[in-house]
Amino acid sequence: GTVVLEDNTVTLSNKTIASPTLTGTTTAAAISGSGTLEVAGNAYFGSALNVSGTLYVSSSTPPRGSLAAVMTRAATAGSDPLEVLRLEVPDTVTAGVNTTIGMGPKLSFYTPNSSEPGGSFEGAYIAAEKENTGDARDDMSLTLATCPQSGTVTERMRINSDGNVGI
């Protein structure tokens, strides 16, 4: 492999590092390995982050027995909920393109199934969906969907922007 250092930039090509620590801004076409990758600061993974094993996104010590953990430190004051995870669908790509009814972030739950391509299928989801067309920040619903035996994922409950619950 190759290691190149010029102008405070490290370029690695076909090189293995057991436990790299990256500080500051790091740009890489791909990072793979079997040790620990620690990113001190912000991390941006452009197209995908594939993890085989355990993923910890944390500002403190990760919990044991968990395959994934997203954590933050407890607030020292105040009683408001802390934002720990943000699912966001920004509308910044094309000017003049409005979001439509039903758009919004979705948290999907997949379950193992060896007869499905990829070995799993979507068994349920929770989604925040726009109730109107346009770029207004209001009128969002929260929907929950589940999948019956040999069925398809179907919305089962909706809490609309007025607080009304439909089942």
Side-chain angles (χ1 to χ4, degrees), residues 21-35:
T21 299
L22 307 175
T23 306
T25 301
T26 303
T27 303
I31 298 175
S32 62
S34 59

Side-chain angles (χ1 to χ4, degrees), residues 69-138:
V70 179
M71 303 182 308
T72 188
R73 296 187 189 280
T76 56
S79 60
D80 293 332
L82 297 173
E83 181 178 294
V84 176
L85 176 65
R86 177 180 294 197
L87 303 177
E88 183 175 356
V89 181
D91 184 19
T92 59
V93 178
T94 306
V97 175
N98 288 326
T99 54
T100 60
I101 295 172
M103 289 182 82
K106 174 176 141 180
L107 179 61
S108 297
F109 299 91
Y110 280 72
T111 187
N113 186 326
S114 61
S115 63
E116 293 289 326
S120 65
F121 73 97
E122 184 179 37
Y125 69 77
I126 301 170
E129 300 180 12
K130 287 184 63 66
E131 293 178 344
N132 61 14
T133 299
D135 289 333
R137 292 183 51 183
D138 53 2

